[in-house]
């Protein structure tokens, strides 16, 4: 599968998304469409980027942004299951197949030990929409990749490992830049991790909870 030349970023104002945009800013072989509710959150966008203000639940806006895309990168929060239903429908209508979705650790109760118990107490009530969105993608027929990052840090580093969908999660934290690096690799090589669902953590960060908390 060739490099994704046209990339739609949904939730372009998110912190991981901003790293992705920065990493791709100087690439003349990648055309970014940056979709978000408030363009002011972007700061300085790449000169070649197209900026679309809108909500993914607005199908007219989403369908217009979706046309001609090679890959959709989803970096959203909140009612992501409701949002994903709209995204999947728009992709199917436009004939766009490739999607990368940043979800959350813990949606399969895959985090073991004391860290798993702590994680459930801290974010358990918020995981349902991510799990439903992931289930929806797995049943969609799209070429999806689901990323489940550990607790996110702002460290300016790229250092990460992955675990499979049914494997125990490893570390407790990972940098946003690391997750962005993996997203960029999937844009550069869209054949990687097709129908993959992976946990993402920084090696050596095992513990009862993230060290920064």
């Amino acid at each position: 599968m060739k490099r994704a030349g046209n990339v739609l970023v949904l939730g372009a104002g998110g912190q991981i998304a901003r790293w992705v945009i920065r990493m791709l800013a100087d690439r003349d072989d990648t055309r970014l469409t940056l979709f978000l509710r408030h363009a002011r959150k972007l700061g300085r966008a790449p000169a070649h980027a197209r900026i679309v203000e809108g909500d993914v639940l607005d199908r007219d806006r989403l369908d217009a942004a979706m046309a001609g895309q090679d890959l959709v990168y989803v970096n959203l929060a909140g009612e992501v299951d409701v949002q994903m239903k709209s995204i999947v429908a728009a992709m199917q209508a436009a004939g766009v197949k490739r999607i990368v979705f940043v979800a959350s650790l813990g949606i399969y109760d895959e985090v073991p030990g004391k860290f798993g118990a702590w994680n459930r107490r801290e974010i358990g009530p918020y995981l349902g929409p991510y799990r439903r969105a992931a289930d929806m993608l797995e049943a969609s027929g799209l070429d999806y990749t689901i990323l489940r990052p550990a607790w996110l840090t702002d460290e300016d580093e790229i250092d990460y490992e992955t675990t499979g969908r049914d494997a125990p999660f490893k570390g407790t934290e990972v940098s946003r830049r690391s997750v962005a690096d993996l997203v960029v690799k999937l844009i550069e090589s869209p054949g990687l991790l097709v129908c993959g669902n992976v946990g993402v953590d920084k090696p050596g960060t095992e513990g009862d909870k993230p060290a920064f908390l």
Side-chain angles (χ1 to χ4, degrees), residues 60-185:
D60 288 340
R61 298 288 285 173
L62 183 60
D63 288 351
M66 190 69 68
Q69 300 296 340
D70 298 314
L71 182 148
V72 178
Y73 157 45
V74 181
N75 190 114
L76 297 171
E79 295 183 330
V80 287
D81 50 346
V82 179
Q83 296 166 334
M84 188 60 72
K85 184 177 181 179
S86 180
I87 294 164
V88 168
M91 290 182 67
Q92 291 172 337
V96 180
K97 293 285 289 183
R98 192 71 175 95
I99 180 170
V100 177
F101 171 46
V102 177
S104 172
L105 82 166
I107 61 173
Y108 303 113
D109 200 24
E110 78 280 19
V111 184
K114 291 182 178 180
F115 176 47
W118 179 87
N119 190 67
R120 284 191 296 275
R121 288 196 301 270
E122 293 295 316
I123 63 171
Y126 304 100
L127 295 180
Y130 284 103
R131 172 61 188 267
R132 291 189 290 272
D135 289 348
M136 197 180 306
L137 271 186
E138 291 182 328
S140 68
L142 298 174
D143 294 333
Y144 65 84
T145 302
I146 298 167
L147 307 180
R148 293 173 283 108
W151 282 65
L152 296 162
T153 76
D154 289 323
E155 295 297 322
D156 189 358
E157 65 180 12
I158 296 174
D159 186 9
Y160 61 94
E161 62 185 352
T162 61
T163 52
R165 185 192 191 284
D166 300 316
F169 206 90
K170 290 186 178 180
T172 59
E173 61 188 69
V174 70
S175 70
R176 291 178 173 86
R177 185 178 180 186
S178 291
V179 180
D181 182 77
L182 182 51
V183 173
V184 170
K185 282 183 167 58

